[in-house]
């Protein structure tokens, strides 16, 4: 098999070998139930507590505020449902137009059930329209939920500032930090964030484990009703090995951030981005390049289909993502790029490259070697490209 050059880390990440090592004994050797009275189970409970402390340190929270869930989607759904159940008289909910489907589809479902949902627009750079947002808030607003950073473009919203203002209005504030945790520092202490979601498989822990942070004092009702696990906030026997893995992943992510090593990821991303812009004409970067995750770039190659680019990159073992979703047989550009007003000819040819601490320079060099001829070949075949040339001549 061709060597894989993995630039799709916003989709999922490799489990760190140290995470794997930390988890393994908890499948077969230390399999006790952490709720048991015996010390065999008690040992596992102590390790879970350690994992809780590590996750809390990564986001500047207290361990009691950390609830383990099965994934980012569960954390998002639990937060929104908890807020609307806690304030049943309030019928207005607010989010942005560029959220992940975990929030977007839930808000659409709730709006069909009688909630009034506001989807705050973004500008061409993917930045929130803050005036529109603040004007939308009323005494009827039950919750505001904005992603901290966008999974497609990496654009970061000013969550600390917004959440403090929302808090002053006495409205619950949730943020989806699934793409943010481990990539930029998060300190919840001085923010107005009441609830925050994160997901293990985006930070080199396994799939199937997530976290919901619930600030002390936040009104809450559980989605998974069952045993007393997670202090009654999420029933169900704990996924012990995955929790312990996530604890290790959070510890490593914090070390990585504290040491400044994440700067190397940004340098590689910038090398990739500027290399592409220099070598491939009619190419632009989607979204605000200043307030952006250090590992992500969304590049629009005008007049070509993103899916065709992905297939040709795949022949060289290069993994990336496109900004399109195949709906009802037609390739629709993603709702994120549409909300930003990216022109049709650019949105269709948008590719997301997302790096990790495992990405190395020679991989970037190989992408820069293989990509320009791929785009040139696809453009020769593209009717849009041909007509754009004719327009330029006439
Ligand atoms: C911003 C964002 N929120 C939520 C999710 C869902 O997380 P999970 O896959 O753990 O359910 C993702 C996954 O891609 C994401 O990028």
């Amino acid at each position: 098999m061709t060597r894989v050059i993995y630039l799709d880390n916003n989709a999922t990440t490799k489990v760190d070998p140290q995470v794997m090592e930390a988890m393994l004994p908890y499948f077969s050797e230390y399999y006790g139930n952490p709720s048991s009275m015996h010390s065999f189970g008690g040992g596992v409970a102590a390790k879970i507590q350690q994992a809780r402390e590590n996750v809390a340190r990564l986001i500047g929270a207290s361990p009691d505020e950390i609830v383990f869930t099965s994934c980012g989607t569960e954390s998002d759904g639990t937060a929104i449902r908890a807020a609307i159940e806690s304030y049943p008289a309030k019928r207005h909910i607010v989010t942005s137009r560029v959220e992940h489907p975990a929030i977007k589809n839930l808000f659409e479902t709730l709006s069909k059930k009688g909630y009034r949902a506001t989807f705050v627009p973004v500008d061409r750079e993917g930045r929130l329209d803050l005036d529109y947002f603040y004007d939308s808030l009323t005494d009827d607003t039950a919750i505001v939920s904005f992603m901290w950073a966008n999974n497609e473009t990496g654009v970061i919203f000013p969550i600390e500032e917004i959440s403090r203002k929302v808090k002053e209005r006495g409205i619950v504030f949730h943020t989806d930090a699934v793409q943010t945790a481990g990539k930029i520092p998060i300190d919840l202490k001085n923010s107005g964030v009441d609830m925050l979601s994160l997901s293990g498989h985006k930070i080199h822990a396994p799939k199937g484990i997530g976290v919901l942070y619930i600030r002390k004092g936040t009104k809450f009702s559980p989605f998974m009703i069952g045993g007393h696990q997670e202090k009654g906030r999420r029933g169900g026997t704990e996924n012990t090995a995955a929790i312990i893995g996530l604890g290790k992943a959070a510890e490593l992510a914090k070390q990585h951030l504290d040491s400044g090593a994440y700067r190397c990821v940004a340098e590689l991303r910038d090398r990739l981005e500027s290399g592409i812009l220099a070598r491939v004409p009619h190419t632009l970067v989607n979204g605000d390049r200043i307030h952006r995750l250090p590992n992500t770039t969304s590049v629009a190659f005008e007049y070509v289909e993103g899916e065709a680019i992905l297939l040709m990159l795949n022949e060289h073992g290069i993994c990336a993502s496109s900004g399109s979703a195949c709906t009802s047989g037609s390739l629709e550009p993603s709702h994120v790029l549409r909300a930003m007003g990216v022109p049709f000819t650019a949105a269709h040819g948008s590719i997301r490259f997302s790096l990790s601490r495992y990405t190395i320079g020679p991989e970037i060099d190989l992408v820069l070697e293989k990509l320009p001829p791929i785009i040139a070949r696809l453009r020769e075949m593209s009717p849009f490209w041909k007509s754009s040339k004719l327009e330029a001549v006439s």
Side-chain angles (χ1 to χ4, degrees):
M1 191 184 147
T2 338
R3 191 173 156 236
V4 166
I5 295 180
Y6 189 74
L7 299 180
D8 201 13
N9 287 279
N10 287 8
T12 198
T13 58
K14 155 183 171 162
V15 173
D16 188 290
Q18 291 185 65
V19 169
M20 187 75 180
E21 196 188 334
M23 288 171 65
L24 281 177
Y26 293 88
F27 287 108
S28 52
E29 213 174 321
Y30 305 118
Y31 52 84
N33 188 321
S35 300
S36 301
M37 287 299 290
H38 44 72
S39 49
F40 186 57
V44 181
K47 281 297 283 192
I48 288 185
Q49 184 55 19
Q50 214 180 68
R52 206 182 295 286
E53 285 164 14
N54 284 344
V55 172
R57 261 194 292 277
L58 179 64
I59 58 174
S62 121
D64 283 353
E65 296 172 320
I66 302 299
V67 174
F68 292 110
T69 65
S70 69
C71 59
T73 304
E74 183 192 325
S75 302
D76 283 346
T78 302
I80 306 306
R81 289 177 191 282
I84 58 181
E85 267 186 37
S86 301
Y87 297 91
K90 298 188 176 193
R91 308 293 291 175
H92 178 225
I93 53 182
V94 181
T95 190
S96 82
R97 290 198 188 156
V98 293
E99 299 293 314
H100 184 271
I103 290 290
K104 176 181 175 282
N105 293 346
L106 177 59
F107 269 61
E108 283 168 2
T109 302
L110 290 169
S111 68
K112 285 185 197 129
K113 291 188 174 167
Y115 284 89
R116 189 168 66 81
T118 297
F119 294 89
V120 178
V122 295
D123 66 11
R124 185 69 178 77
E125 301 290 297
R127 293 173 300 216
L128 270 182
D129 183 336
L130 290 178
D131 291 335
Y132 185 106
F133 163 56
Y134 291 123
D135 284 349
S136 77
L137 297 178
T138 73
D139 292 341
D140 192 38
T141 310
I143 184 163
V144 173
S145 176
F146 288 136
M147 63 199 330
W148 202 314
N150 188 274
N151 44 304
E152 286 186 32
T153 59
V155 171
I156 297 170
F157 286 160
I159 291 300
E160 277 142 332
E161 177 199 324
I162 302 173
S163 64
R164 276 194 292 269
K165 291 198 178 149
V166 170
K167 189 99 180 154
E168 280 163 23
R169 298 279 305 256
I171 299 167
V172 177
F173 188 89
H174 164 258
T175 183
D176 175 339
V178 165
Q179 292 294 346
T180 323
K183 293 176 187 161
I184 56 170
I186 294 182
D187 188 359
L188 293 177
K189 268 180 225 80
N190 297 317
S191 75
V193 173
D194 296 304
M195 289 186 274
L196 170 147
S197 307
L198 66 84
S199 173
H201 72 104
K202 310 289 186 183
I203 61 162
H204 304 288
K207 295 157 189 65
I209 186 71
V211 164
L212 178 61
Y213 155 88
I214 309 169
R215 183 183 289 279
K216 232 170 263 166
T218 304
K219 276 194 184 180
F220 183 76
S221 58
F223 169 59
M224 297 274 276
I225 296 172
H228 58 267
Q229 292 92 351
E230 302 298 291
K231 298 210 161 108
R233 292 169 296 183
R234 203 266 185 185
T237 301
E238 297 87 341
N239 184 356
T240 51
I243 291 173
I244 289 159
L246 176 54
K248 187 70 193 173
E251 181 192 327
L252 295 173
K254 176 103 175 73
Q255 277 170 13
H256 203 69
L257 282 172
D258 289 351
S259 69
Y262 221 96
R263 271 202 300 277
C264 302
V265 179
E267 279 165 21
L268 285 176
R269 188 273 313 270
D270 292 345
R271 192 161 123 200
L272 173 67
E273 191 174 271
S274 54
I276 293 173
L277 293 177
R279 287 168 177 79
V280 187
H282 293 279
T283 298
L284 46 112
V285 173
N286 296 315
D288 183 347
R289 289 169 74 178
I290 297 168
H291 303 104
R292 187 171 53 152
L293 292 175
N295 78 318
T296 308
T297 177
S298 167
V299 185
F301 300 94
E302 287 187 289
Y303 312 111
V304 275
E305 285 287 354
E307 278 63 28
I309 304 172
L310 289 182
L311 288 174
M312 292 178 88
L313 286 174
N314 187 50
E315 284 174 17
H316 300 286
I318 300 166
C319 307
S321 286
S322 78
S324 302
C326 194
T327 41
S328 55
S330 69
L331 286 172
E332 271 284 298
S334 82
H335 69 283
V336 175
L337 300 181
R338 272 183 287 147
M340 289 164 64
V342 176
F344 178 86
T345 46
H348 264 280
S350 287
I351 299 290
R352 176 188 73 187
F353 299 97
S354 48
L355 287 64
S356 81
R357 60 179 185 251
Y358 290 103
T359 309
I360 52 171
E363 295 178 322
I364 299 300
D365 295 339
L366 194 98
V367 176
L368 290 176
E369 180 197 321
K370 301 292 179 194
L371 188 60
I374 289 177
I375 304 297
R377 198 145 30 113
L378 289 172
R379 280 186 178 155
E380 274 165 27
M381 297 187 281
S382 159
F384 298 119
W385 176 249
K386 283 180 193 145
S387 58
S388 80
K389 305 279 270 192
L390 287 176
E391 269 167 36
V393 171
S394 59

